[in-house]
């Protein structure tokens, strides 16, 4: 009897599954072949790893990237970088030095292997699905556990086929494909799903373009996105001199998907996501004339060689609009060298571009914050309010072609308004890259003698107490739908420098949206958070769970929760509760006192009855957790749970 045909996702999952059943909605345990971390989530992850007492990582490859917070305003970030470098040497981790490039881009260029699994402490880890790797984002603690050889647990997602058909018109880009999906599906449309791309339209996109699409699957809330490892991937590996790492892999003929989404490329037009959500998508030509103050081409979404070469062609021999501040950043050091060699960087700089280092930078408010009330057009993946570093700025997300045309004309423009797209259509991924891995530091074979360098801003990771029997506390904050982790713990240069110091970073919890929150919860001592749909969407930063826990938050009551944030809450002992009847949300006000009795027993039964003492009402909350997660949360979080288990 021949085996049933499988999707690409099922093939990889079944080959790495060490527990559970591969059935949508059931918990599975996956062995992780590789991990990646970066500086702003890595420090917490490694602080956790250190407490596990394991002499060397157990993965095939773990890479620690320094790419996010490269601003050196004082000692803090450099101290973090030194800590990360010493940890990497001690525990057998490859370190990517500051300036080498952005983690996801570097990873699929230099380290990814089709058909293998990768866990990354960043929500855009799925970018690497462009080369047929199953790449999932998670909190730092989950990545620490994966480095320790523990499996990664998740609910088996529905595998959705995204079938690309037709031929794109000139000026239509990969960014428009993913913006179209965001327009149709919204920022929560991908929850509990893996998007597997298929169809004749695949041939339209080279690997960097596929990475743009896979990257912003994160904005859909999808668990990950994956492309087949076809001949285009083979050619890409050849261009990277990594042919030996290439493995061909695709779905079997007749594989059965949970559902189908079709995107006819011929129908697409240049799109833009308007402030302040990536799903607020319209056609560029339907926008009223929108004057632009700033343009940024960069980030893990759209900073490939061809992205910048196209922008350079649009701007060649011209000057950016006098009202526009224009900055560019290549995704990797390799590509920057090539763009310089081939004259593209020279054209951009001659046109007035400001060259930023190969890092996340402006994407997450680490430099290049726009002026008050400014309109900023960016090729990055997120435009949440305040993320740019300027709370009242209006960020639009678009392709590099739209960004370059807008930089030139001073308003948000279709690419064709600046230049006939046929003139730059030939730019694709290069046939060969400059290979220069000298910014990756390999660890010594024996790291046991390496001393860890710990600056004064690096504080131990706090852990939660075991779950109490009874909680009586006030609703410390009530928020609407789509709360982002940027709302809970803002990014930006000042705050990101506090990622290794929970007591300090907790002081800014909800600071942008409710400056009184911290004072209030400190007075209360304990409290609850009430949220709407998709609470905790966006970044994987576990500080958005740790800081509320540290301040005394015992549970989050929401209509629905984003996957990574929910896992982070569990990892740090904060109970995630889902309204059984969503209308109960309307009956709660900030300040109401809620009571939960016999909490561990109720959590085990998957239903918690909550009494609203202030209103004299009661309502039920669902506990949508696996048996393992329930025990993790009762133990007071995953570090305690794993340590208890191994006693
Ligand atoms: C982001 O794009 O929001 C970040 C900064 O890369 C985050 C990671 C973090 O906040 O630490 C992410 O996407 O997970
Ligand atoms: Fe960095 Fe921005 Fe990508 Fe996050 S989305 S990894 S901040 S470039």
């Amino acid at each position: 009897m021949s085996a049933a045909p499988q999707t690409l996702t099922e093939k990889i999952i079944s080959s790495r599954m060490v527990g559970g059943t591969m059935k949508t909605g059931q918990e599975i345990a996956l062995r992780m072949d590789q991990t990646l971390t970066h500086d702003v989530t890595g420090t917490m992850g490694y602080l956790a790893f250190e407490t596990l007492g394991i002499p060397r990582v157990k993965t095939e490859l773990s890479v620690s990237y320094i790419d996010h917070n490269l601003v050196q305003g004082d000692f803090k970030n450099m101290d973090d970088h030194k800590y990360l470098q010493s940890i990497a040497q001690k525990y057998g981790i490859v370190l990517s030095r500051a300036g080498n490039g952005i983690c996801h881009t570097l990873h699929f260029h230099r380290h990814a292997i089709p058909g293998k699994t990768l866990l990354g402490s960043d929500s855009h880890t799925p970018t690497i699905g462009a080369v047929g790797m199953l790449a999932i984002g998670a909190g730092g603690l989950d990545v620490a556990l994966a480095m320790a050889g523990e499996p990664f647990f998740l609910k088996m997602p529905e595998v959705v086929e995204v079938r690309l058909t037709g031929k794109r018109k000139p000026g239509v880009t990969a960014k428009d494909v993913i913006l179209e999906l965001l327009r149709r599906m919204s920022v929560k449309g991908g929850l509990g799903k893996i998007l597997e791309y298929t169809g004749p339209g695949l041939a339209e996109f080279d690997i960097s373009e596929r990475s743009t699409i896979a990257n912003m699957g994160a904005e859909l809330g999808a668990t990950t996105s994956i492309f087949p490892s076809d001949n285009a991937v083979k050619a890409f590996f050849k261009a990277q001199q990594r042919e030996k790492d290439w493995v061909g892999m695709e779905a079997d003929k007749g594989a059965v998907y949970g559902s189908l989404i079709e995107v006819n490329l011929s129908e697409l037009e240049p799109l833009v996501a308007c402030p302040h959500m990536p799903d607020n998508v319209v056609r560029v030509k339907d926008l009223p004339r929108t004057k632009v103050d700033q343009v940024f081409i960069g980030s893990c979404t759209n900073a490939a060689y061809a992205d910048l070469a196209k922008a350079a062609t649009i701007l060649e021999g011209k000057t950016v609009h006098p009202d526009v501040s224009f900055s560019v950043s290549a995704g990797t050091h390799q590509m920057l060298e090539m763009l310089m060699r081939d004259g593209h960087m020279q054209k951009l700089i001659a046109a007035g571009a400001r060259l930023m280092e190969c890092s996340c930078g402006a994407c997450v408010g680490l430099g290049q914050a726009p002026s008050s009330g400014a309109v900023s057009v960016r090729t990055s993946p997120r435009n949440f309010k305040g993320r740019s570093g300027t709370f009242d700025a209006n960020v639009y997300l678009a392709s590099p072609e739209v960004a370059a045309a807008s930089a030139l004309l001073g308003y948000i423009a279709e690419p064709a308004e600046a230049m006939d797209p046929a003139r730059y259509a030939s730019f694709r991924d290069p046939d060969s890259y400059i290979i220069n891995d000298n910014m990756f530091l390999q660890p010594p074979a024996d790291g046991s003698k390496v001393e860890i360098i710990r600056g004064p801003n690096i504080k131990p990771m706090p852990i939660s107490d075991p779950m109490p029997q009874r909680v009586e506390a006030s609703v410390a904050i009530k928020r609407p739908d789509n709360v982002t982790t940027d709302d809970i713990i803002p990014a930006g240069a000042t705050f990101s420098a506090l990622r290794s110091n929970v007591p300090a970073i907790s002081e800014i919890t909800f600071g942008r949206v409710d400056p009184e929150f911290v004072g209030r919860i400190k007075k209360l001592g304990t409290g609850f958070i009430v949220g709407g749909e998709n609470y905790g969407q966006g970044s994987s930063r576990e500080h958005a769970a740790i800081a509320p826990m540290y301040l005394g938050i015992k549970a989050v009551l929401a209509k629905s929760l984003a996957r990574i944030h929910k896992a982070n809450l569990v990892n740090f002992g904060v109970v995630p509760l889902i309204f059984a009847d969503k209308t109960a949300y309307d009956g709660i006000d900030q300040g109401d006192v809620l009571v939960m009795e016999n909490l561990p027993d109720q959590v085990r039964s998957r239903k918690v009855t909550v009494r609203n003492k202030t209103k004299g009402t009661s309502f039920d909350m669902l506990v949508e957790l696996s048996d393992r997660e329930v025990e993790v949360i009762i133990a007071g979080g995953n570090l305690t749970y794993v340590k208890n288990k191994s006693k």
Side-chain angles (χ1 to χ4, degrees):
M1 201 179 77
S2 65
Q6 287 187 312
T7 64
L8 173 55
T9 304
E10 287 167 339
K11 282 188 186 176
I12 303 178
I13 288 184
S14 54
S15 70
R16 293 297 185 279
M17 219 168 72
V18 291
T21 325
M22 204 172 57
K23 258 193 158 169
T24 308
Q26 302 221 354
E27 188 173 76
I28 52 171
L30 284 184
R31 180 158 57 78
M32 285 294 159
D33 300 315
Q34 297 187 353
T35 62
L36 75 76
T37 56
H38 57 66
D39 46 311
V40 296
T41 54
T43 49
M44 272 294 135
Y46 293 114
L47 284 167
F49 184 80
E50 281 187 90
T51 72
L52 296 170
I54 286 165
R56 206 172 171 86
V57 291
K58 296 190 175 167
T59 45
E60 289 173 12
L61 175 75
S62 287
V63 188
S64 170
Y65 291 90
I66 298 179
D67 62 347
H68 272 62
N69 198 358
L70 308 191
V71 182
Q72 292 175 223
D74 62 17
F75 62 95
K76 296 191 196 77
N77 295 337
M78 281 311 285
D79 280 5
D80 281 355
H81 301 175
K82 287 218 152 144
Y83 166 75
L84 292 170
Q85 188 161 333
S86 60
I87 285 278
Q89 296 277 302
K90 186 165 186 75
Y91 293 112
I93 298 159
V94 175
L95 184 105
S96 174
R97 304 185 67 190
N100 196 22
I102 304 175
C103 54
H104 310 303
T105 317
L106 278 169
H107 205 85
F108 81 81
H109 282 206
R110 305 303 302 147
H111 298 300
I113 300 188
K116 294 209 176 207
T117 49
L118 166 74
L119 195 68
S121 62
D122 188 281
S123 64
H124 288 104
T125 306
T127 312
I128 296 140
V131 295
M133 188 164 197
L134 192 78
I136 301 179
L141 179 51
D142 280 325
V143 177
L145 292 171
M147 289 190 288
E150 294 284 329
F152 174 66
F153 295 90
L154 87 158
K155 261 195 191 163
M156 177 66 196
E158 176 193 345
V159 186
V160 177
E161 178 178 15
V162 184
R163 198 171 158 72
L164 305 179
T165 59
K167 279 210 159 320
R168 56 178 159 161
K169 294 192 275 259
V172 171
T173 67
K175 187 65 153 271
D176 302 311
V177 174
I178 190 67
L179 289 178
E180 168 64 9
L181 286 172
L182 276 153
R183 188 187 70 74
R184 287 196 213 168
M185 296 168 71
S186 91
V187 288
K188 54 182 196 315
L191 288 178
K193 294 175 181 163
I194 291 186
L195 307 184
E196 196 171 307
Y197 287 84
T198 68
L202 280 177
E204 292 270 307
F205 299 103
D206 60 27
I207 302 310
S208 297
E209 292 175 306
R210 294 180 189 185
S211 81
T212 299
I213 298 173
N215 172 281
M216 282 187 76
E219 277 48 68
L220 291 163
T223 302
T224 191
S225 301
I226 190 162
F227 284 78
S229 176
D230 57 10
N231 282 332
V233 178
K234 187 176 184 186
F236 178 79
F237 273 63
K238 181 159 183 272
Q240 288 281 345
Q241 296 179 21
R242 295 184 59 220
E243 280 153 294
K244 62 171 189 359
D245 288 336
W246 180 77
V247 189
M249 265 194 117
E250 59 184 3
D252 290 328
K253 282 211 169 55
V256 181
Y257 290 89
S259 53
L260 169 72
I261 298 172
E262 192 171 326
V263 180
N264 182 349
L265 302 172
S266 325
E267 290 169 0
L268 294 185
E269 299 199 44
L271 299 171
V272 65
C274 301
H276 298 283
M277 277 293 152
D279 61 0
N280 194 6
V281 173
V282 299
R283 293 189 299 189
V284 176
K285 70 173 183 214
D286 294 339
L287 266 187
R289 182 169 283 228
T290 309
K291 196 172 158 348
V292 173
D293 304 285
Q294 186 191 54
V295 172
F296 168 62
I297 302 184
S299 86
C300 59
T301 317
N302 265 132
Y305 178 91
D307 290 335
L308 287 147
K310 286 175 188 169
T313 309
I314 293 172
L315 286 158
E316 182 174 3
K318 300 175 186 141
T319 298
V320 298
H321 192 278
D323 295 338
V324 176
S325 165
F326 177 46
S327 49
V328 298
S329 156
T332 69
H333 182 254
Q334 265 181 0
M335 293 195 290
L336 176 59
E337 280 186 58
M338 292 168 65
L339 288 158
M340 292 171 92
R341 178 197 66 193
D342 299 345
H344 301 301
M345 247 338 147
Q346 185 270 329
K347 288 176 195 159
L348 285 166
I349 289 167
R354 299 169 60 185
L355 176 58
M356 302 290 131
E357 63 183 316
C358 301
S359 70
C360 300
C363 171
V364 65
L366 295 164
Q368 304 310 100
S371 55
S372 298
V375 167
S376 179
V377 177
R378 298 173 168 221
T379 64
S380 44
R382 291 190 171 137
N383 59 349
F384 304 145
K385 195 166 173 57
R387 179 178 165 92
S388 65
T390 303
F391 197 64
D392 64 357
N394 293 301
V395 176
Y396 292 75
L397 307 174
S399 66
E401 291 88 320
V402 167
S406 307
L408 183 66
L409 299 170
Y411 60 89
I412 301 179
E414 287 207 285
E417 291 180 63
M419 179 181 279
D420 177 358
R423 288 188 44 202
Y424 52 77
S426 60
F427 286 114
R428 307 283 304 213
D429 277 345
D431 296 336
S432 73
Y433 284 80
I434 293 180
I435 304 303
N436 179 358
D437 282 338
N438 64 359
M439 302 277 279
F440 285 110
L441 300 183
Q442 299 298 326
D446 175 8
S448 58
K449 300 269 165 343
V450 175
E451 287 285 325
I452 305 293
I453 305 172
R454 223 178 291 272
N457 186 49
I458 301 175
K459 303 281 189 254
M461 174 189 268
I463 50 172
S464 153
D465 294 329
M467 183 183 285
Q469 281 300 320
R470 179 178 192 275
V471 190
E472 174 168 341
S474 300
V475 174
I477 186 168
K478 182 179 176 188
R479 299 296 304 163
D481 290 350
N482 292 324
V483 166
T484 71
T485 50
D486 281 327
D487 293 332
I488 307 170
I489 292 289
T494 320
F495 305 142
S496 298
L498 303 175
R499 290 291 185 96
S500 320
N501 185 341
V502 172
I505 207 168
S506 67
E507 293 290 327
I508 57 154
T509 311
F510 284 113
R512 285 237 175 91
V513 292
D514 181 353
E516 262 97 67
F517 171 78
V518 172
R520 204 158 56 233
I521 181 74
K522 278 189 175 169
K523 244 199 220 138
L524 292 167
T526 51
F528 299 113
I529 294 171
V530 172
E533 299 281 3
N534 201 22
Y535 178 86
Q537 69 160 328
S539 105
S540 68
R541 75 189 63 135
E542 56 196 346
H543 303 74
I546 307 175
M549 177 276 283
Y550 179 77
L551 292 170
I553 292 296
K554 297 293 174 203
V556 173
L557 292 74
K559 292 185 187 170
S560 61
L561 282 152
R563 176 186 65 86
I564 304 179
H565 187 61
K566 179 176 163 192
N568 286 338
L569 290 171
V570 172
N571 279 347
F572 291 94
V574 180
V575 192
L577 296 170
I578 304 296
F579 286 101
D581 172 1
K582 289 182 183 176
T583 60
Y585 168 92
D586 303 320
I588 309 175
D589 289 311
Q590 192 171 299
D592 285 1
V593 176
L594 308 182
V595 186
M596 301 179 192
E597 312 273 0
N598 301 325
L599 197 50
D601 283 351
Q602 290 214 75
V603 167
R604 283 197 179 102
S605 77
R606 304 298 199 277
K607 200 175 87 191
V608 175
T609 303
V610 182
R611 192 156 51 84
N612 186 332
K613 227 175 147 178
T614 312
K615 299 268 159 56
T617 53
S618 38
F619 55 92
D620 288 336
M621 300 297 299
L622 304 176
V623 181
E624 296 181 346
L625 300 177
S626 68
D627 293 348
R628 184 194 55 85
E629 286 172 313
V630 163
E631 295 313 318
V632 166
I633 227 165
I634 291 174
N638 216 348
L639 261 188
T640 314
Y641 174 79
V642 169
K643 284 183 188 168
N644 288 348
K645 214 179 57 173
S646 55
K647 265 182 203 157

